Amino acid sequence: MTIENISQAKVFGGWHKQYTHESQSLNCSMRFAIYLPPSATPATPVPVVYWLSGLTCTDENFMQKAGAFRAAAELGIAIVAPDTSPRGEDVADDENYDLGKGAGFYLNATQAPWNTHYRMYDYIVDELPALIEANFPVSSRKSISGHSMGGHGALTIGLKNSDRYRSISAFSPISNPMQCPWGQKAFAAYLGKSVESWKAYDASELLKQHMAKLPMLVDQGDADNFLHEQLKPETLVHAAQLHNSDLTLRMQPGYDHSYYFISSFIEEHLRFHAKYLLA
């Protein structure tokens, strides 16, 4: 569980740091970023929000563009941002942006050549939190959030692991990947032709099965170019209503799919998580 610090910068009294490590889940070298608020010490470990980014992103997009550090410093919450897929010369890839590197979809691939490295579900759920908790002044209390493909990841991981997280939030999540082009392409490649196996990684399908045990906050811009074809938040709402799951969906007028949108509401999301992490 050796990690190597490759960059750091002080911000709002805390520290933003980047690290690399060799991942056993993914069979490659991985990079992640962490923000530690000034209150984080071995004597006072802080809870963590795990942020999952979208297609084509790395750990840097959220940390550089979301403007989350002031609120995280005030609240005393760490933020961890992993990469969105395995990386390396021997890692399978595709010429299109929505499959392969940068498009891990936070699942465990079962199909060749993807199954050699693409086990992002195991990495996010098990390996990365163990690494973070072993090397930084953080507690085991954690919540999960994300954007677009990462919103899909946050919802599905949180719903399937309610004993590990305190709350879930998402911006513009791919809410029903089985029924949209991005999801269908990725699931067919990573998981194979059996549509039944896809349901384990579809938040709408998971909510149809039983009531969510965790509170969920979702923000969606109504000017998002991907809203109707790819994101389908209405399916998430309908699925949540079946078992009275605690889902709040906020349609935000005029906002698009960008980090301008995320930066406008990220403080509210951190305060939402703080209610459950700091209680």
PDB file of all heavy atoms in Angstrom, residues 11-12 31 44 57 60 91 100 134-135 154 167 185 201 205 207 216 236 240 244 246 256-257:
ATOM      1  N   VAL A  11      -4.297  25.315   0.396  1.00  0.00           N
ATOM      2  CA  VAL A  11      -5.480  26.049  -0.043  1.00  0.00           C
ATOM      3  C   VAL A  11      -6.488  26.096   1.100  1.00  0.00           C
ATOM      4  O   VAL A  11      -6.797  25.076   1.705  1.00  0.00           O
ATOM      5  CB  VAL A  11      -6.081  25.408  -1.316  1.00  0.00           C
ATOM      6  CG1 VAL A  11      -6.313  23.926  -1.168  1.00  0.00           C
ATOM      7  CG2 VAL A  11      -7.359  26.113  -1.749  1.00  0.00           C
ATOM      8  N   PHE A  12      -6.943  27.317   1.432  1.00  0.00           N
ATOM      9  CA  PHE A  12      -7.876  27.551   2.545  1.00  0.00           C
ATOM     10  C   PHE A  12      -7.417  26.859   3.828  1.00  0.00           C
ATOM     11  O   PHE A  12      -8.220  26.290   4.572  1.00  0.00           O
ATOM     12  CB  PHE A  12      -9.296  27.120   2.163  1.00  0.00           C
ATOM     13  CG  PHE A  12      -9.913  27.987   1.102  1.00  0.00           C
ATOM     14  CD1 PHE A  12     -10.103  27.504  -0.182  1.00  0.00           C
ATOM     15  CD2 PHE A  12     -10.273  29.296   1.384  1.00  0.00           C
ATOM     16  CE1 PHE A  12     -10.658  28.309  -1.165  1.00  0.00           C
ATOM     17  CE2 PHE A  12     -10.836  30.110   0.407  1.00  0.00           C
ATOM     18  CZ  PHE A  12     -11.022  29.621  -0.875  1.00  0.00           C
ATOM     19  N   ARG A  31      -3.595   7.158 -10.112  1.00  0.00           N
ATOM     20  CA  ARG A  31      -3.405   8.448  -9.470  1.00  0.00           C
ATOM     21  C   ARG A  31      -4.712   8.874  -8.814  1.00  0.00           C
ATOM     22  O   ARG A  31      -5.789   8.625  -9.350  1.00  0.00           O
ATOM     23  CB  ARG A  31      -2.981   9.501 -10.505  1.00  0.00           C
ATOM     24  CG  ARG A  31      -2.553  10.835  -9.892  1.00  0.00           C
ATOM     25  CD  ARG A  31      -2.097  11.794 -10.974  1.00  0.00           C
ATOM     26  NE  ARG A  31      -3.216  12.310 -11.753  1.00  0.00           N
ATOM     27  CZ  ARG A  31      -3.094  13.012 -12.887  1.00  0.00           C
ATOM     28  NH1 ARG A  31      -1.891  13.244 -13.386  1.00  0.00           N
ATOM     29  NH2 ARG A  31      -4.151  13.433 -13.532  1.00  0.00           N
ATOM     30  N   THR A  44      -7.659  14.197  15.363  1.00  0.00           N
ATOM     31  CA  THR A  44      -9.024  14.573  14.964  1.00  0.00           C
ATOM     32  C   THR A  44      -9.260  14.177  13.499  1.00  0.00           C
ATOM     33  O   THR A  44      -9.312  15.036  12.613  1.00  0.00           O
ATOM     34  CB  THR A  44      -9.266  16.082  15.145  1.00  0.00           C
ATOM     35  OG1 THR A  44      -8.285  16.804  14.362  1.00  0.00           O
ATOM     36  CG2 THR A  44      -9.168  16.482  16.593  1.00  0.00           C
ATOM     37  N   CYS A  57     -12.621  12.543 -17.936  1.00  0.00           N
ATOM     38  CA  CYS A  57     -11.999  13.273 -16.830  1.00  0.00           C
ATOM     39  C   CYS A  57     -10.907  12.457 -16.136  1.00  0.00           C
ATOM     40  O   CYS A  57     -10.789  11.248 -16.330  1.00  0.00           O
ATOM     41  CB  CYS A  57     -13.063  13.672 -15.806  1.00  0.00           C
ATOM     42  SG  CYS A  57     -14.210  14.923 -16.405  1.00  0.00           S
ATOM     43  N   GLU A  60      -8.144  15.519 -11.762  1.00  0.00           N
ATOM     44  CA  GLU A  60      -7.882  16.948 -11.734  1.00  0.00           C
ATOM     45  C   GLU A  60      -9.100  17.819 -12.012  1.00  0.00           C
ATOM     46  O   GLU A  60      -9.168  18.959 -11.551  1.00  0.00           O
ATOM     47  CB  GLU A  60      -6.774  17.298 -12.729  1.00  0.00           C
ATOM     48  CG  GLU A  60      -5.413  16.708 -12.346  1.00  0.00           C
ATOM     49  CD  GLU A  60      -4.309  17.128 -13.290  1.00  0.00           C
ATOM     50  OE1 GLU A  60      -4.608  17.389 -14.474  1.00  0.00           O
ATOM     51  OE2 GLU A  60      -3.151  17.195 -12.850  1.00  0.00           O
ATOM     52  N   VAL A  91      -3.123  -1.166 -20.998  1.00  0.00           N
ATOM     53  CA  VAL A  91      -4.544  -1.135 -20.660  1.00  0.00           C
ATOM     54  C   VAL A  91      -5.364  -0.990 -21.934  1.00  0.00           C
ATOM     55  O   VAL A  91      -5.101  -0.121 -22.767  1.00  0.00           O
ATOM     56  CB  VAL A  91      -4.848   0.028 -19.689  1.00  0.00           C
ATOM     57  CG1 VAL A  91      -6.351   0.173 -19.461  1.00  0.00           C
ATOM     58  CG2 VAL A  91      -4.132  -0.195 -18.367  1.00  0.00           C
ATOM     59  N   GLY A 100     -13.350   2.741 -22.793  1.00  0.00           N
ATOM     60  CA  GLY A 100     -11.921   2.607 -22.552  1.00  0.00           C
ATOM     61  C   GLY A 100     -11.404   3.626 -21.559  1.00  0.00           C
ATOM     62  O   GLY A 100     -12.093   4.010 -20.621  1.00  0.00           O
ATOM     63  N   ALA A 134      -5.679   4.229   5.642  1.00  0.00           N
ATOM     64  CA  ALA A 134      -4.411   3.770   6.195  1.00  0.00           C
ATOM     65  C   ALA A 134      -3.327   4.841   6.149  1.00  0.00           C
ATOM     66  O   ALA A 134      -2.352   4.771   6.911  1.00  0.00           O
ATOM     67  CB  ALA A 134      -3.933   2.534   5.432  1.00  0.00           C
ATOM     68  N   ASN A 135      -3.499   5.846   5.291  1.00  0.00           N
ATOM     69  CA  ASN A 135      -2.408   6.801   5.066  1.00  0.00           C
ATOM     70  C   ASN A 135      -2.720   8.249   5.419  1.00  0.00           C
ATOM     71  O   ASN A 135      -1.807   9.088   5.403  1.00  0.00           O
ATOM     72  CB  ASN A 135      -1.982   6.747   3.595  1.00  0.00           C
ATOM     73  CG  ASN A 135      -1.219   5.491   3.250  1.00  0.00           C
ATOM     74  OD1 ASN A 135      -0.025   5.388   3.500  1.00  0.00           O
ATOM     75  ND2 ASN A 135      -1.912   4.499   2.685  1.00  0.00           N
ATOM     76  N   ALA A 154     -21.678   7.049  -8.396  1.00  0.00           N
ATOM     77  CA  ALA A 154     -22.006   7.386  -7.014  1.00  0.00           C
ATOM     78  C   ALA A 154     -23.339   6.769  -6.601  1.00  0.00           C
ATOM     79  O   ALA A 154     -23.473   6.214  -5.505  1.00  0.00           O
ATOM     80  CB  ALA A 154     -22.047   8.901  -6.848  1.00  0.00           C
ATOM     81  N   SER A 167     -24.430   9.072   2.845  1.00  0.00           N
ATOM     82  CA  SER A 167     -25.316   9.814   1.949  1.00  0.00           C
ATOM     83  C   SER A 167     -24.760   9.748   0.534  1.00  0.00           C
ATOM     84  O   SER A 167     -23.593   9.409   0.312  1.00  0.00           O
ATOM     85  CB  SER A 167     -25.439  11.280   2.407  1.00  0.00           C
ATOM     86  OG  SER A 167     -24.152  11.849   2.621  1.00  0.00           O
ATOM     87  N   LYS A 185     -23.568   1.116 -24.876  1.00  0.00           N
ATOM     88  CA  LYS A 185     -22.275   0.844 -25.495  1.00  0.00           C
ATOM     89  C   LYS A 185     -21.285   0.305 -24.466  1.00  0.00           C
ATOM     90  O   LYS A 185     -20.613  -0.717 -24.692  1.00  0.00           O
ATOM     91  CB  LYS A 185     -21.721   2.111 -26.138  1.00  0.00           C
ATOM     92  CG  LYS A 185     -20.346   1.928 -26.776  1.00  0.00           C
ATOM     93  CD  LYS A 185     -19.877   3.211 -27.436  1.00  0.00           C
ATOM     94  CE  LYS A 185     -18.499   3.038 -28.082  1.00  0.00           C
ATOM     95  NZ  LYS A 185     -18.050   4.271 -28.779  1.00  0.00           N
ATOM     96  N   TYR A 201     -25.719  -2.459 -12.345  1.00  0.00           N
ATOM     97  CA  TYR A 201     -25.023  -1.182 -12.463  1.00  0.00           C
ATOM     98  C   TYR A 201     -25.932  -0.083 -13.023  1.00  0.00           C
ATOM     99  O   TYR A 201     -25.465   0.859 -13.655  1.00  0.00           O
ATOM    100  CB  TYR A 201     -23.793  -1.341 -13.352  1.00  0.00           C
ATOM    101  CG  TYR A 201     -22.765  -2.307 -12.802  1.00  0.00           C
ATOM    102  CD1 TYR A 201     -22.609  -3.567 -13.353  1.00  0.00           C
ATOM    103  CD2 TYR A 201     -21.961  -1.957 -11.717  1.00  0.00           C
ATOM    104  CE1 TYR A 201     -21.665  -4.460 -12.859  1.00  0.00           C
ATOM    105  CE2 TYR A 201     -21.018  -2.838 -11.207  1.00  0.00           C
ATOM    106  CZ  TYR A 201     -20.873  -4.085 -11.782  1.00  0.00           C
ATOM    107  OH  TYR A 201     -19.945  -4.952 -11.284  1.00  0.00           O
ATOM    108  N   GLU A 205     -32.756   0.768 -12.055  1.00  0.00           N
ATOM    109  CA  GLU A 205     -33.112  -0.636 -11.830  1.00  0.00           C
ATOM    110  C   GLU A 205     -32.925  -1.025 -10.363  1.00  0.00           C
ATOM    111  O   GLU A 205     -33.741  -1.766  -9.798  1.00  0.00           O
ATOM    112  CB  GLU A 205     -32.270  -1.544 -12.729  1.00  0.00           C
ATOM    113  CG  GLU A 205     -32.605  -1.442 -14.204  1.00  0.00           C
ATOM    114  CD  GLU A 205     -34.016  -1.931 -14.517  1.00  0.00           C
ATOM    115  OE1 GLU A 205     -34.490  -2.866 -13.844  1.00  0.00           O
ATOM    116  OE2 GLU A 205     -34.647  -1.362 -15.423  1.00  0.00           O
ATOM    117  N   LEU A 207     -33.209   0.941  -7.771  1.00  0.00           N
ATOM    118  CA  LEU A 207     -34.270   1.558  -6.989  1.00  0.00           C
ATOM    119  C   LEU A 207     -35.619   0.877  -7.214  1.00  0.00           C
ATOM    120  O   LEU A 207     -36.492   0.921  -6.340  1.00  0.00           O
ATOM    121  CB  LEU A 207     -34.375   3.045  -7.324  1.00  0.00           C
ATOM    122  CG  LEU A 207     -33.301   3.934  -6.697  1.00  0.00           C
ATOM    123  CD1 LEU A 207     -33.376   5.343  -7.259  1.00  0.00           C
ATOM    124  CD2 LEU A 207     -33.441   3.966  -5.181  1.00  0.00           C
ATOM    125  N   MET A 216     -30.567  10.760  -0.827  1.00  0.00           N
ATOM    126  CA  MET A 216     -29.958  11.088  -2.114  1.00  0.00           C
ATOM    127  C   MET A 216     -30.364  12.498  -2.545  1.00  0.00           C
ATOM    128  O   MET A 216     -31.542  12.850  -2.492  1.00  0.00           O
ATOM    129  CB  MET A 216     -30.402  10.098  -3.188  1.00  0.00           C
ATOM    130  CG  MET A 216     -29.993   8.666  -2.960  1.00  0.00           C
ATOM    131  SD  MET A 216     -30.768   7.531  -4.157  1.00  0.00           S
ATOM    132  CE  MET A 216     -32.448   7.479  -3.513  1.00  0.00           C
ATOM    133  N   LEU A 236     -35.219   7.886 -12.797  1.00  0.00           N
ATOM    134  CA  LEU A 236     -34.732   7.766 -11.431  1.00  0.00           C
ATOM    135  C   LEU A 236     -35.830   8.151 -10.436  1.00  0.00           C
ATOM    136  O   LEU A 236     -36.045   7.467  -9.429  1.00  0.00           O
ATOM    137  CB  LEU A 236     -33.501   8.660 -11.244  1.00  0.00           C
ATOM    138  CG  LEU A 236     -32.643   8.420 -10.003  1.00  0.00           C
ATOM    139  CD1 LEU A 236     -31.919   7.080 -10.105  1.00  0.00           C
ATOM    140  CD2 LEU A 236     -31.644   9.549  -9.834  1.00  0.00           C
ATOM    141  N   ALA A 240     -37.603   5.687  -7.721  1.00  0.00           N
ATOM    142  CA  ALA A 240     -37.525   6.004  -6.296  1.00  0.00           C
ATOM    143  C   ALA A 240     -38.902   6.033  -5.651  1.00  0.00           C
ATOM    144  O   ALA A 240     -39.068   5.661  -4.479  1.00  0.00           O
ATOM    145  CB  ALA A 240     -36.815   7.341  -6.095  1.00  0.00           C
ATOM    146  N   ASN A 244     -40.769   4.578  -2.025  1.00  0.00           N
ATOM    147  CA  ASN A 244     -40.619   5.775  -1.188  1.00  0.00           C
ATOM    148  C   ASN A 244     -39.172   6.023  -0.761  1.00  0.00           C
ATOM    149  O   ASN A 244     -38.891   6.365   0.388  1.00  0.00           O
ATOM    150  CB  ASN A 244     -41.511   5.681   0.052  1.00  0.00           C
ATOM    151  CG  ASN A 244     -42.982   5.635  -0.287  1.00  0.00           C
ATOM    152  OD1 ASN A 244     -43.453   6.423  -1.104  1.00  0.00           O
ATOM    153  ND2 ASN A 244     -43.711   4.710   0.309  1.00  0.00           N
ATOM    154  N   ASP A 246     -35.687   7.994  -0.386  1.00  0.00           N
ATOM    155  CA  ASP A 246     -35.430   9.393  -0.032  1.00  0.00           C
ATOM    156  C   ASP A 246     -34.569  10.054  -1.107  1.00  0.00           C
ATOM    157  O   ASP A 246     -33.357  10.179  -0.970  1.00  0.00           O
ATOM    158  CB  ASP A 246     -34.738   9.451   1.331  1.00  0.00           C
ATOM    159  CG  ASP A 246     -34.530  10.879   1.821  1.00  0.00           C
ATOM    160  OD1 ASP A 246     -34.956  11.817   1.131  1.00  0.00           O
ATOM    161  OD2 ASP A 246     -33.920  11.052   2.907  1.00  0.00           O
ATOM    162  N   ASP A 256     -26.218  23.959 -17.552  1.00  0.00           N
ATOM    163  CA  ASP A 256     -25.832  22.949 -18.531  1.00  0.00           C
ATOM    164  C   ASP A 256     -25.121  21.784 -17.852  1.00  0.00           C
ATOM    165  O   ASP A 256     -25.333  21.513 -16.670  1.00  0.00           O
ATOM    166  CB  ASP A 256     -24.979  23.577 -19.637  1.00  0.00           C
ATOM    167  CG  ASP A 256     -23.695  24.232 -19.107  1.00  0.00           C
ATOM    168  OD1 ASP A 256     -23.299  23.942 -17.952  1.00  0.00           O
ATOM    169  OD2 ASP A 256     -23.072  25.011 -19.848  1.00  0.00           O
ATOM    170  N   HIS A 257     -24.235  21.100 -18.581  1.00  0.00           N
ATOM    171  CA  HIS A 257     -23.567  19.891 -18.095  1.00  0.00           C
ATOM    172  C   HIS A 257     -22.159  20.177 -17.558  1.00  0.00           C
ATOM    173  O   HIS A 257     -21.440  19.257 -17.199  1.00  0.00           O
ATOM    174  CB  HIS A 257     -23.478  18.885 -19.257  1.00  0.00           C
ATOM    175  CG  HIS A 257     -23.235  17.469 -18.838  1.00  0.00           C
ATOM    176  ND1 HIS A 257     -24.173  16.701 -18.189  1.00  0.00           N
ATOM    177  CD2 HIS A 257     -22.155  16.650 -18.997  1.00  0.00           C
ATOM    178  CE1 HIS A 257     -23.700  15.483 -17.972  1.00  0.00           C
ATOM    179  NE2 HIS A 257     -22.470  15.437 -18.436  1.00  0.00           N
TER     180      HIS A 257
END
